[in-house]
Amino acid sequence: YSTATVLAILGRHSEALVVLDEVLTTSRRTGDRETELAAMVRLGDRHSDLGDNRRAIAFYLEAQPLARELGARRRLIDLTNSLGVAYRNSGDLGAADAHLADSARLAHEAGDRAMAFSATYNRAGIALQRGLLAETADLLDQLRRLDDLDEGERAAVDHLSSDLALERDNLAA
């Protein structure tokens, strides 16, 4: 992976895809399921970086059952969140919300506050985008109740709250 990681950091995503495809092929041939899972997730990430959400979604969907089979809870939380983001970026807001809700639930169950924040924040943005103002407000309240929000997280919640207030004002006008 290290070569693919360096290539991705350098913005050479197409080259990273070639390396990751080789890693995936080798891991499948040798039966290394952990490496296979990691390669699928990273292939999804690279396709997402390139804006190819369809391919990213395909890799994430393929990786989910393997993550469950291997008991890779943290990886499942991350890839489910990434799947939600890829669906959002492709314009399928319903699927995005469903996967982000799954990610938030899994993160809460695992005690992963940072990922719970990320998934819930993304859900609030989607709810606002869909015009679901009451749901947006509920999700923002959930975010405010999370323990130990850092300054950046508080600022993000405040910004989305301002957007919600503007949307409500626009509807009232």
Side-chain angles (χ1 to χ4, degrees):
Y1 312 108
S2 58
T3 302
T5 301
V6 170
L7 289 168
I9 290 168
L10 294 173
R12 294 165 53 184
H13 300 289
S14 295
E15 293 171 72
L17 286 174
V18 171
V19 172
L20 289 169
D21 277 330
E22 291 171 5
V23 170
L24 182 59
T25 299
T26 301
S27 65
R28 285 180 171 162
R29 189 175 58 250
T30 62
D32 183 348
R33 307 286 279 160
E34 293 282 343
T35 301
E36 178 183 358
L37 174 60
M40 283 191 287
V41 171
R42 289 182 178 161
L43 279 161
D45 293 345
R46 296 299 70 80
H47 282 291
S48 181
D49 291 341
L50 291 168
D52 188 350
N53 293 300
R54 183 186 56 77
R55 295 283 314 270
I57 289 166
F59 277 109
Y60 295 142
L61 286 173
E62 186 180 357
Q64 273 188 321
L66 182 54
R68 285 186 182 96
E69 178 186 323
L70 295 174
R73 189 176 212 179
R74 174 69 184 158
R75 177 110 35 207
L76 180 61
I77 294 166
D78 289 342
L79 79 90
T80 304
N81 189 68
S82 296
L83 184 56
V85 171
Y87 272 115
R88 182 197 64 205
N89 292 344
S90 71
D92 188 341
L93 300 182
D97 185 62
H99 288 287
L100 290 166
D102 254 3
S103 181
R105 178 185 54 77
L106 292 166
H108 281 293
E109 289 171 3
D112 186 338
R113 195 205 60 77
M115 188 54 72
F117 177 89
S118 176
T120 305
Y121 180 81
N122 283 324
R123 288 190 69 214
I126 288 169
L128 183 60
Q129 192 175 352
R130 296 170 80 188
L132 304 172
L133 305 188
E135 183 176 337
T136 305
D138 289 343
L139 291 164
L140 288 169
D141 286 342
Q142 288 177 32
L143 289 168
R144 287 187 191 97
R145 287 192 302 270
L146 289 174
D147 292 332
D148 302 325
L149 291 181
D150 65 31
E151 187 176 318
E153 291 168 334
R154 278 193 301 278
V157 170
D158 290 346
H159 179 77
L160 197 52
S161 296
S162 296
D163 290 347
L164 174 60
L166 285 172
E167 193 62 32
R168 285 180 170 158
D169 290 347
N170 289 338
L171 288 175

